[in-house]
C-alpha cells in the first residue's frame, strides 16, 4: 500500500467525490412596513441630570442593526416579525444645550414566503427612521414624537447550487502495477 492510498492513521483514503457545487444564500421571502407620521413614545436612557427640562426632540435616526424580538406564523403563508430598531435621539433643553440619547421602537413586519420556502429560514431586517414633526416638550425620561419609519425584512436560506461545466474532474483510474504487453495490430486480410 502506498502512502498516498491511506491516511496517516493507516485507514484507506476516502474515495474521490467530484465537488461541483456550492452553498449560496437565496432570498425566499420579503416584506416591508412603511409608517408615515406615526406617533411613538420614546423612552430615553442616559439623560444627564444637568439638562433643564422641558426637552425638545431635534432629530431621530436609526443608530444600528435591527434585532428580531418575536416571530409568529400567519395564516397567509407568511411570518410576522417584531423588529426592534435602536434609535439615536438628539435633544435640546430649555437653555439650548444639545444632548444625544438612545432609545428604541418595535415595529411589526409581515414577510411573505415564496413557494417551497423552508421554515428554517433566517431573517434579516434594516430600517430607516426620521423625525416627521418637531418634537414636543416632555419630561426627561420619555418623549412623544411623530416619526416616519420604513422597515424592510428578508427571509434567507442557504441552498445548494450546481455549477454545470465547472465540476472538478473525476479521479483518474488507478494505474496497473505492470505495463500490459504490446500486441501487434491484427491484419484483417491474413487468415488466422
Amino acid at each position: 500500500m502506498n502512502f498516498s492510498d491511506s491516511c496517516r492513521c493507516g485507514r484507506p483514503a476516502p474515495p474521490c467525490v467530484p465537488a461541483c457545487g456550492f452553498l449560496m444564500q437565496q432570498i425566499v421571502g420579503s416584506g416591508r412596513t412603511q409608517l408615515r407620521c406615526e406617533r411613538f413614545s420614546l423612552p430615553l436612557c442616559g439623560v444627564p441630570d444637568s439638562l433643564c427640562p422641558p426637552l425638545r426632540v431635534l432629530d431621530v435616526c436609526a443608530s444600528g442593526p435591527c434585532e428580531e424580538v418575536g416571530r409568529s406564523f400567519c395564516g397567509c403563508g407568511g411570518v410576522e416579525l417584531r423588529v426592534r430598531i435602536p434609535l439615536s435621539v438628539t435633544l435640546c433643553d430649555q437653555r439650548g444645550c444639545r444632548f444625544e440619547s438612545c432609545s428604541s421602537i418595535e415595529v411589526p413586519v409581515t414577510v411573505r414566503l415564496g413557494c417551497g420556502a423552508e421554515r428554517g429560514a433566517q431573517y434579516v431586517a434594516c430600517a430607516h427612521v426620521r423625525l416627521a414633526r418637531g418634537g414636543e416638550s416632555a419630561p426627561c425620561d420619555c418623549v412623544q414624537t411623530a416619526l416616519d419609519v420604513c422597515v424592510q425584512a428578508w427571509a434567507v436560506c442557504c441552498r445548494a447550487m450546481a455549477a454545470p461545466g465547472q465540476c472538478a474532474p473525476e479521479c483518474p483510474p488507478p494505474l496497473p502495477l505492470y505495463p500490459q504487453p504490446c500486441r501487434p495490430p491484427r491484419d484483417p486480410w491474413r487468415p488466422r
Side-chain angles (χ1 to χ4, degrees):
M1 182 183 298
N2 293 338
F3 183 77
S4 61
D5 295 341
S6 66
C7 298
R8 292 183 185 184
C9 61
R11 286 184 267 160
C16 288
V17 177
C20 61
F22 54 92
L23 287 178
M24 182 176 184
Q25 285 189 335
Q26 285 188 327
I27 296 174
V28 294
S30 65
R32 179 179 185 163
T33 296
Q34 192 154 1
L35 306 173
R36 296 204 182 270
C37 205
E38 186 83 15
R39 293 193 61 80
F40 287 94
S41 176
L42 304 179
L44 302 174
C45 53
V47 178
D49 296 335
S50 61
L51 291 179
C52 183
L55 303 176
R56 286 183 306 137
V57 179
L58 299 179
D59 190 26
V60 178
C61 62
S63 65
C66 298
E67 176 185 350
E68 177 190 339
V69 292
R71 181 186 316 170
S72 61
F73 290 100
C74 306
C76 60
V79 175
E80 182 174 293
L81 300 177
R82 296 256 345 137
V83 177
R84 179 180 293 137
I85 306 167
L87 300 175
S88 174
V89 182
T90 304
L91 303 167
C92 180
D93 70 353
Q94 189 177 14
R95 293 176 295 196
C97 296
R98 290 183 177 211
F99 180 76
E100 287 278 327
S101 180
C102 56
S103 185
S104 66
I105 58 173
E106 289 186 11
V107 177
V109 182
T110 301
V111 177
R112 307 269 184 222
L113 297 175
C115 293
E118 291 89 7
R119 296 285 182 168
Q122 296 178 347
Y123 295 91
V124 179
C126 70
H128 176 74
V129 179
R130 69 177 180 186
L131 187 65
R133 285 195 209 125
E136 302 168 0
S137 298
C140 289
D141 59 346
C142 188
V143 293
Q144 300 286 329
T145 187
L147 301 175
D148 290 337
V149 180
C150 179
V151 182
Q152 292 182 318
W154 298 273
V156 179
C157 284
C158 283
R159 298 244 174 109
M161 304 295 290
Q166 297 180 6
C167 293
E170 294 184 16
C171 292
L175 296 175
L177 293 176
Y178 301 101
Q180 299 295 320
C182 293
R183 292 185 181 158
R186 185 175 163 258
D187 187 11
W189 300 107
R190 186 175 163 193
R192 291 190 178 184

